[in-house]
């Protein structure tokens, strides 16, 4: 397939455009912030804690700060040296917890090896935990209470909703059981009244289980593992995977005759791919997310959305946002 966007060749497969959905979410957030300020409220504020100088983490934190600015919120990055101690990081988190001007705290992972990551995440005040990783928020998600839920799976539900893809009563199969994606995805789809199956590396006959899915979510971290044999005709396919491929043979196999990808590979020495073999699955799916440009842009939008939600609660404001 030579076209950059195979939807141009297909009549029935909908491409779920994460950038377009993220941009709608940004507009809704900007409206919410404007109303909050017009009603005498304070500008919502997110603080991202960045320990060390991992370039991928710095880029990710930078995109959150830019999105905050875009929707009229304050987005700060607290940069800390990679050799700081557990005690000093804990004292920074306590300070942010106690700062009434800070609505959302995000600790960028991974943390250096000498830091007890779980302890840090559990120290973040649940009402400021915009990543939704604190056990209180995890528990509330599963008991159906109001909570801050992890951004990537929340973004997926938001995309399905905004693209008019029905969820209630449909069978969702999730491949992957991580705390960040797979498990909260299951909790959120259950809330939407899907019938949910969670798969993992020990699942027997994974392709057969996946072929039962009306909605198939791949969150595995293995390039193009989900091929056409995993997908029922007409399924909705959500690809969470974000994998770096740096060997030419794989690029050639996955994207034969694809000039843009080849050019990108020649320039950078790698390309990003998902867990789904997009071109081979495309014709079977009724809707599918591309990588990049599918799930990725929603993650950042939903962290910022969580910050606005946290701020409205913090400031005891009752403003409706369509999220
Ligand atoms: N787009 C975004 O914003 C975003 C956000 C987060 C993550 N991601 C990407 O999503 C992918 C998954 O991330 P993650 O953090 O959830 O990964 P993770 O913590 O490594 O979890 C991977 C899951 O996949 C399962 N798995 C691995 N190999 C398998 C196989 N052969 N068959 C069936 N299941 C298998 C594992 O099963 P076991 O539990 O049995 O080991 C595990 O539950 C990665 O590519 C990551 O980069 C993207």
């Amino acid at each position: 397939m030579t076209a950059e966007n195979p939807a141009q060749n297909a009549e029935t497969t909908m491409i779920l455009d994460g950038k377009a959905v993220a941009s709608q979410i940004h507009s809704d957030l900007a409206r919410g912030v404007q109303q909050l300020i017009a009603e005498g409220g304070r500008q919502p504020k997110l603080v991202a804690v960045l320990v060390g100088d991992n370039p991928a983490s710095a880029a990710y934190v930078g995109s959150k700060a830019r999105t905050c600015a875009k929707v009229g919120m304050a987005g700060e990055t607290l940069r800390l040296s990679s050799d700081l101690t557990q005690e000093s990081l804990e004292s920074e988190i306590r300070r942010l917890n106690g700062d009434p001007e800070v609505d959302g705290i995000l600790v960028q992972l991974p943390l250096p090896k000498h830091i007890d990551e779980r302890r840090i995440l559990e120290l973040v005040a649940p009402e400021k935990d915009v990543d939704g990783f604190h056990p209180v928020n995890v528990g509330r998600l599963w008991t159906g209470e109001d909570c801050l839920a992890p951004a990537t799976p929340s973004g997926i539900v938001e995309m399905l909703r905004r693209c008019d893809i029905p969820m209630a009563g449909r069978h969702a199969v999730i491949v992957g059981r991580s705390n960040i994606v797979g498990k909260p995805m299951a909790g959120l789809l259950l809330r939407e009244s899907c019938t949910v199956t969670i798969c993992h590396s020990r699942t027997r006959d994974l392709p057969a289980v996946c072929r039962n899915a009306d909605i198939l979510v791949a969150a595995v971290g293995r390039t193009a593992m989900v091929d056409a044999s995993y997908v029922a005709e007409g399924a909705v396919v959500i690809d969470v995977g974000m994998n770096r491929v740096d060997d030419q043979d794989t690029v050639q196999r996955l994207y034969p005759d694809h000039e843009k990808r080849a050019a990108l590979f020649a320039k950078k020495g790698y390309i990003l791919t998902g867990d789904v073999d997009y071109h081979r699955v495309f014709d079977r799916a009724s809707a599918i997310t591309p990588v990049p440009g599918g799930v990725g842009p929603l993650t950042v939008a939903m962290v910022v959305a969580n910050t606005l939600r946290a701020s409205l609660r913090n400031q005891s404001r009752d403003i409706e946002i369509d999220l």
Side-chain angles (χ1 to χ4, degrees):
M1 195 163 307
T2 51
E4 167 60 15
N5 181 345
Q8 291 158 359
N9 304 332
E11 282 173 357
T12 53
T13 307
M14 182 201 302
I15 294 196
L16 300 170
D17 181 346
K19 280 191 201 157
V21 175
S23 157
Q24 283 176 10
I25 295 172
H26 295 163
S27 304
D28 290 344
L29 295 176
R31 256 194 307 278
V33 173
Q34 271 169 13
Q35 193 183 339
L36 171 64
I37 289 168
E39 292 180 10
R42 168 181 59 70
Q43 186 188 39
K45 179 170 172 179
L46 170 70
V47 176
V49 179
L50 179 63
V51 183
D53 49 14
N54 177 327
S57 294
Y60 194 43
V61 160
S63 71
K64 286 167 192 165
R66 279 194 301 281
T67 304
C68 280
K70 197 189 267 180
V71 305
M73 290 168 40
E76 250 182 47
T77 303
L78 176 61
R79 289 169 201 280
L80 301 168
S81 159
S82 59
D83 59 6
L84 93 172
T85 61
Q86 176 85 25
E87 293 66 36
S88 44
L89 182 53
E90 288 184 10
S91 98
E92 290 291 355
I93 301 290
R94 280 197 197 90
R95 183 180 62 75
L96 294 170
N97 282 346
D99 184 340
E101 303 271 300
V102 174
D103 300 293
I105 303 169
L106 177 155
V107 181
Q108 185 61 45
L109 303 178
L111 291 170
K113 294 229 170 337
H114 66 280
I115 301 283
D116 182 342
E117 199 167 277
R118 182 71 3 230
R119 231 173 103 160
I120 297 297
L121 295 181
E122 291 185 10
L123 195 62
V124 174
E127 65 277 11
K128 298 190 179 189
D129 166 41
V130 289
D131 263 336
F133 295 159
H134 193 285
V136 167
N137 282 315
V138 175
R140 284 185 183 150
L141 171 62
W142 285 99
T143 50
E145 289 166 77
D146 194 23
C147 67
L148 293 169
T152 300
S154 300
I156 291 169
V157 168
E158 197 52 38
M159 175 159 62
L160 294 173
R161 193 173 74 81
R162 287 179 187 244
C163 295
D164 293 325
I165 292 183
M167 289 177 267
R170 300 185 96 191
H171 186 191
V173 176
I174 300 155
V175 190
R177 56 174 163 180
S178 71
N179 291 332
I180 293 172
V181 188
K183 284 182 201 155
M185 185 80 262
L188 288 168
L189 287 172
L190 194 58
R191 274 190 172 195
E192 299 297 327
S193 297
C194 283
T195 302
V196 178
T197 301
I198 309 178
C199 304
H200 44 78
S201 63
R202 306 290 296 274
T203 299
R204 274 189 287 164
D205 199 353
L206 184 62
V209 179
C210 292
R211 282 196 302 275
N212 285 319
D214 300 309
I215 299 172
L216 178 62
V217 181
V220 189
R222 288 179 181 245
T223 295
M225 186 187 91
V226 173
D227 62 21
S229 72
Y230 287 62
V231 179
E233 193 72 44
V236 173
V237 179
I238 307 293
D239 190 353
V240 185
M242 189 62 78
N243 313 304
R244 221 174 132 123
V245 173
D246 55 11
D247 83 279
Q248 189 147 22
D249 289 349
T250 308
V251 175
Q252 185 61 34
R253 180 174 60 77
L254 295 178
Y255 307 101
D257 306 326
H258 199 304
E259 286 163 24
K260 270 197 177 170
R261 300 268 183 167
L264 202 62
F265 181 75
K267 187 172 163 204
K268 292 184 149 185
Y270 71 91
I271 58 166
L272 290 177
T273 65
D275 292 338
V276 174
D277 191 342
Y278 186 78
H279 288 267
R280 290 168 187 89
V281 162
F282 190 84
D283 289 338
R284 297 187 69 77
S286 59
I288 190 165
T289 58
V291 175
V295 172
L298 298 169
T299 300
V300 176
M302 295 311 285
V303 166
V304 177
N306 272 348
T307 307
L308 177 56
R309 265 199 213 108
S311 183
L312 292 175
R313 220 172 292 147
N314 256 348
Q315 302 189 54
S316 308
R317 302 280 169 163
D318 195 17
I319 291 173
E320 280 279 314
I321 42 168
D322 182 27
L323 281 167

